[in-house]
Amino acid sequence: MSPTRHPVVAACALLLAGAAHAQTTAPAGTSPMPAIVANHCTTADACLAQMTRQLVVQRGATSALARSQDNFYWFGRINMASAVMLTEQKIIPPELAGPIARGVAHAIDQATRPGFVRPTDVLVTEKIITDFAGPDATLIHTGRSRQDMHPTLTLGQLRVETLDFADALAALRQQLLEMAAQHAETFVPAYTNGVQAMPISLGQYLHAYADSFGRDGERLRQAWTRVNKSPMGAAVLANSSWPLDRVRLAELLGFDGPGTNSYDATQINPVDVALEVVNIAGSVALRVGALMQDVHVQYHQTRPWLLLAPGRTYSSSAMPQKANPGVIQNTRALASDVVGSVQQVVLRAHNVTPGMIDYKYSWTAGQGATFVKATQMLRDATDVMASLRVDAKRSLEELESDWTTSMELAETLQREHKVPFRVGHHFASEVVKHAKAHQLLPRAFPYDEAVRIYAEAGHKYQVSDAKLPLDESTFRATLSPENMVRTRVGIGGPQPAEVRRMHGEARKTLDGDRAWVAERRKALADAEAKLNSAFAELLKR
């Protein structure tokens, strides 16, 4: 092949002149279709099955799939898509399409052999191609730049990590919902300002977190429309004089379409789109941290009602009585690391001019590792929640050791006997004052004292009938935490029937979110199959 066969070849060859040399040659009898490319899936189902096999947990990555899709992987996919599109646009002449495609395939295939080269610089990858296929193969770089290639591959990596994160978020939501269903009638204290406030059901509490994480699922779906736009074909930032088909490039690489403004696609988009998605991870981390804190604070108690199962703690090196909840501590610390990573993304984007490298990779696995940390955090949080053991008798005892139902005295008097709220509130307050002064718990509070205090409250507010309208059994039932929870009404309350209703709605939302992730993965698999099939046709030429 001659380097002057096409007018862009000489210019592209100059770009390669400074690249590190990675000498490879085509051995005699080389197959026209290298093994790794020949084995590429060519149907959506096959590609999806291949993808699914790689959705396994790996430390240091959101999944094995995400780890496999490094920069070199994306250089290969972008080169394949470029070869297909440039041939379709007749920018690569028909007679060069096959040899150039085989050069691209060779670069991908050699990375599987002993002594492989897996470059992190696209120009080194192109040197491998041209060493095999000759200088005409520099046509592959027509109308493109690292400035559009790298935003494309980082968005490709972001979408895989986002889907992995969505899977881990769904698993935590499922765990919380399963626990909520089991504990619709487990009664626990709720706190405001760090002080025991009211009795609720544990089911309502767990649903609160599950619902909040459901909002994050919605945010991820909304952000996807901005994540999955392709910068490819925008060249440095102002498009090219070559008639590149950006829509086709987007389709072959699994994007929903191209980012319209070429300057935005390569220079501005990497700031706000990445920041939008990592902030979702940061928001999740704040609430995971709060949830872990709520569980962890139980270990301040001598008799907690939430404890990790046996074998899920570690012992002190000096104090035999201690069972340290390391998995809770580690999850909480990891949540803080995620929040810190998000701040790194913000700071790297702060106060720099467009086009700088500072902000373009700050969230990635090699730098802030935002989603690597966030996905592990979610997996660890799910493990914590699955390991919890709940002592319902102890939580009820805690409720009965304080006066968290005193508000119900005022409400019952108002609701059932038309006693003005302020009168009932004053009565309840005086009952609590008397009880604390005499160290009395609700169950042991003398009914005669309640009658006396109500009479005094009635006189204070000039109520015509100052006789307590509650008999002793009603008075004691009103002070029962279980009774207070069961008599709540309205949407979203702690009452068992409402918790069960919310469970059904939350399951539907979770199932919908999981279906959305599956649809996105199916679409990516479909695009992968289309590109593999189109590229395989080039290899036959």
Side-chain angles (χ1 to χ4, degrees), residues 420-469:
F421 176 77
R422 193 52 57 196
V423 176
H425 185 276
H426 177 76
F427 162 65
S429 297
E430 292 299 311
V431 166
V432 172
K433 285 180 184 178
H434 183 85
K436 291 192 172 182
H438 295 83
Q439 298 184 350
L440 295 170
L441 298 181
R443 280 192 172 192
F445 194 88
Y447 178 70
D448 290 345
E449 285 297 319
V451 172
R452 177 188 64 77
I453 292 170
Y454 184 82
E456 292 177 357
H459 290 312
K460 176 180 174 64
Y461 284 91
Q462 299 179 346
V463 175
S464 58
D465 184 358
K467 180 182 178 182
L468 178 63

Side-chain angles (χ1 to χ4, degrees), residues 36-55 64-66 68-69 73-74 76-81 84 108 118 156 159-160 163 228 248-256 519-537 539:
I36 191 169
V37 176
N39 292 331
H40 275 167
C41 53
T42 54
T43 68
D45 287 345
C47 288
L48 185 60
Q50 192 176 82
M51 182 185 299
T52 302
R53 284 194 293 272
Q54 292 182 283
L55 293 177
L65 178 66
S68 73
Q69 294 194 6
Y73 165 88
W74 276 102
R77 300 305 290 178
I78 290 171
N79 283 335
M80 290 168 65
V84 170
I108 297 170
R118 198 173 181 88
R159 69 190 183 189
V160 171
L163 293 178
N228 208 35
R248 179 63 165 154
L249 283 171
E251 176 190 23
L252 292 170
L253 294 171
F255 291 92
D256 295 331
E519 288 165 5
R520 301 288 79 71
R521 285 210 167 97
K522 180 70 165 60
L524 294 179
D526 186 50
E528 183 177 358
K530 287 179 180 177
L531 175 53
N532 290 344
S533 296
F535 187 73
E537 291 302 311
L539 290 170

Side-chain angles (χ1 to χ4, degrees), residues 267-276 345 349 352 359-360:
Q267 309 305 328
I268 308 299
N269 177 284
V271 178
D272 72 283
V273 170
L275 188 58
E276 177 182 6
V345 175
V352 294
Y359 56 81
K360 293 186 176 180

Side-chain angles (χ1 to χ4, degrees), residues 74-83 104 125 129 140 144 149:
W74 276 102
F75 293 158
R77 300 305 290 178
I78 290 171
N79 283 335
M80 290 168 65
S82 293
V104 170
T125 301
I129 296 171
I140 200 75
R144 75 184 192 190
M149 295 179 71

Side-chain angles (χ1 to χ4, degrees), residues 80-228:
M80 290 168 65
S82 293
V84 170
M85 182 276 293
L86 292 169
T87 300
E88 291 174 350
Q89 292 297 102
K90 300 184 171 37
I91 296 171
I92 291 179
E95 67 274 16
L96 295 182
I100 290 174
R102 283 187 284 279
V104 170
H106 166 73
I108 297 170
D109 192 47
Q110 62 82 35
T112 67
R113 299 174 183 170
F116 68 88
V117 180
R118 198 173 181 88
T120 57
D121 187 335
V122 67
L123 296 185
V124 179
T125 301
E126 289 183 11
K127 187 68 169 68
I128 297 172
I129 296 171
T130 56
D131 282 348
F132 182 90
D136 277 347
T138 56
L139 284 167
I140 200 75
H141 202 68
T142 303
R144 75 184 192 190
S145 163
R146 278 180 290 205
Q147 293 291 331
D148 62 341
M149 295 179 71
H150 278 266
T152 299
L153 70 87
T154 52
L155 284 173
Q157 292 165 341
L158 179 59
R159 69 190 183 189
V160 171
E161 293 193 8
T162 297
L163 293 178
D164 289 344
F165 177 77
D167 275 340
L169 184 63
L172 176 57
R173 291 164 63 189
Q174 178 171 324
Q175 178 61 42
L176 292 170
L177 291 178
E178 287 176 357
M179 293 177 70
Q182 294 167 10
H183 294 287
E185 299 190 46
T186 299
F187 308 110
V188 298
Y191 299 82
T192 60
N193 299 306
V195 179
Q196 190 175 149
M198 295 178 69
I200 59 171
S201 58
L202 182 57
Q204 185 199 25
Y205 171 86
L206 295 167
H207 263 289
Y209 275 100
D211 288 350
S212 80
F213 294 136
R215 292 192 293 274
D216 295 307
E218 182 179 7
R219 292 180 183 110
L220 288 170
R221 295 196 308 274
Q222 292 167 345
W224 183 267
T225 61
R226 292 174 283 282
V227 169
N228 208 35

